[in-house]
């Protein structure tokens, strides 16, 4: 884990931070010196544990409950953060879920839920964070940018995924949302970027890695030959959020062990 204080004095909001990639990212940002709001929608105990771990680094943290797909709750959450933490410097729009089904079995509710959380949720959080970035403007002692938004996407923003049309569509949408916001907000000194994780060991895809057979099948898709960890993503998020990456705008950082590189060719066969 990056141990430098790259984010000292910054305030970060991480959605879906009670488990998986969001949890590791919240902890990573805290370790890098940021004060962190740990958003969750269910799993309060887990969220409080994440807060405890982050505060042990000597920074502030708090757990806020909000459903990112609910406009009123997102508005209330960001307002509360501004009141209690002073501002928002970094948003990691991470909260996401899968509701998998073959297309003929997929209900409208399954389609809608995934789009609501994965795409609309990121939009709402990005919109509200942006209002605060614009209100505050650049504070040079804190960061060269007025704000940083990191959208948690997926390799499935470019790799179609049979049996997951709702999820793949949501991530394809995240890509274009991110790039459009990046273009729109760069003149205001707001940097919008995305991370596209590949297969990471988290609860969302437990069935893909929890048995040795499943893990072997999964590794066939990964040239680097290991399943990713949430910390792999946290490192990327810390770097992207920091001024080290100040000239990085509208980019997707693939953190996938090479999954997007036509992995069937990895052995040269
Ligand atoms: C999905 C995981 C999947 C990975 C690679 C992620 O976006 O959430 O379930 O294992 O992509 O296919």
């Amino acid at each position: 884990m990056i141990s430098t204080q790259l984010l000292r004095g910054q305030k970060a909001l991480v959605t879906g931070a009670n488990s998986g990639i969001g949890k590791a990212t919240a902890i990573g940002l805290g370790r890098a010196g940021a004060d962190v709001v740990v958003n969750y929608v269910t799993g309060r105990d887990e969220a409080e544990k994440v807060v405890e771990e982050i505060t042990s680094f000597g920074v502030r943290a708090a757990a806020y409950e909000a459903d990112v797909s609910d406009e009123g709750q997102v508005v209330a959450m960001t307002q509360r953060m501004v009141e209690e933490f002073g501002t928002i410097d970094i948003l990691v729009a991470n909260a996401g879920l899968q509701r998998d089904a073959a297309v003929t079995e997929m209900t409208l509710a399954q389609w809608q839920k995934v789009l609501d959380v994965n795409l609309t949720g990121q939009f709402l959080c990005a919109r509200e964070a942006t209002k605060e970035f614009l209100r505050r403007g650049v504070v040079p002692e804190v960061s060269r940018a007025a704000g940083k938004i990191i959208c948690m996407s997926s390799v499935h923003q470019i790799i179609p995924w049979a049996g997951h049309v709702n999820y793949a569509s949501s991530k394809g949408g995240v890509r274009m949302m991110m790039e459009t916001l990046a273009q729109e907000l760069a003149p205001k000194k707001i940097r919008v970027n995305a991370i596209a994780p590949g297969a990471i060991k988290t609860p969302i895809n437990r069935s893909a890695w929890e048995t040795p057979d499943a893990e072997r099948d999964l590794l066939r898709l990964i040239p680097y030959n290991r399943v990713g960890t949430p910390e792999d993503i946290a490192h990327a998020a810390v770097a992207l959020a920091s001024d080290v990456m100040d000239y990085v705008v509208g980019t997707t950082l693939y953190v996938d062990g090479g999954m997007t590189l036509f992995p069937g060719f990895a052995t040269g066969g």
Side-chain angles (χ1 to χ4, degrees):
M1 180 57 66
I2 293 172
S3 60
T4 49
Q5 295 280 290
L6 277 175
L7 304 177
R8 201 195 345 243
Q10 303 202 40
K11 322 283 177 193
L13 169 60
V14 183
T15 64
N18 56 307
S19 78
I21 287 172
K23 171 180 171 179
T25 299
I27 292 168
L29 297 175
R31 205 189 286 274
D35 295 331
V36 185
V37 168
V38 174
N39 158 259
Y40 67 98
V41 63
T42 56
R44 185 184 174 82
D45 291 352
E46 280 306 308
E48 291 295 352
K49 277 190 207 133
V50 175
V51 165
E52 251 175 61
E53 183 163 352
I54 295 172
T55 50
S56 77
F57 308 139
V59 294
R60 276 185 74 189
Y64 288 5
E65 181 184 335
D67 174 352
V68 296
S69 67
D70 182 304
E71 185 175 28
Q73 292 184 36
V74 172
V75 170
M77 171 170 69
T78 48
Q79 282 176 355
R80 181 178 169 197
M81 179 162 175
V82 172
E83 274 159 32
E84 294 179 0
F85 284 72
T87 192
I88 308 172
D89 299 286
I90 299 163
L91 165 68
V92 182
N94 166 79
L97 44 75
Q98 290 180 215
R99 293 286 183 269
D100 308 325
V103 62
T104 49
E105 307 298 319
M106 190 175 286
T107 62
L108 179 58
Q110 285 173 315
W111 167 269
Q112 199 64 56
K113 179 79 180 168
V114 171
L115 269 291
D116 283 351
V117 174
N118 295 13
L119 182 57
T120 306
Q122 290 205 12
F123 162 73
L124 289 171
C125 293
R127 190 188 69 187
E128 293 311 304
T130 296
K131 289 179 188 168
E132 171 57 15
F133 299 158
L134 294 175
R135 184 196 67 76
R136 174 182 29 75
V138 177
V139 180
E141 309 78 64
V142 175
S143 174
R144 296 176 72 179
K148 282 85 57 161
I149 297 174
I150 298 173
C151 298
M152 205 54 74
S153 188
S154 165
V155 291
H156 297 297
Q157 70 171 16
I158 56 164
I159 306 179
W161 201 17
H164 309 259
V165 66
N166 49 1
Y167 184 86
S169 302
S170 74
K171 296 301 185 179
V174 163
R175 178 189 181 179
M176 194 47 75
M177 181 191 71
M178 179 281 285
E179 292 181 3
T180 300
L181 290 178
Q183 188 190 53
E184 184 171 332
L185 298 175
K188 319 260 189 217
K189 302 297 277 178
I190 296 168
R191 292 195 299 114
V192 187
N193 290 285
I195 297 173
I200 308 298
K201 265 190 197 175
T202 70
I204 206 173
N205 60 356
R206 187 177 295 282
S207 61
W209 52 263
E210 80 180 340
T211 69
D213 279 358
E215 183 159 359
R216 194 169 4 86
D217 286 347
L218 185 56
L219 288 176
R220 286 202 195 99
L221 301 173
I222 307 171
Y224 205 54
N225 208 36
R226 73 169 171 87
V227 180
T229 64
E231 289 71 29
D232 289 321
I233 307 303
H235 283 136
V238 168
L240 264 183
S242 78
D243 279 4
V244 166
M245 298 272 171
D246 186 58
Y247 205 50
V248 178
V249 172
T251 293
T252 296
L253 182 52
Y254 287 86
V255 185
D256 68 350
M259 190 181 240
T260 37
L261 301 174
F262 294 97
F265 289 88
T267 56

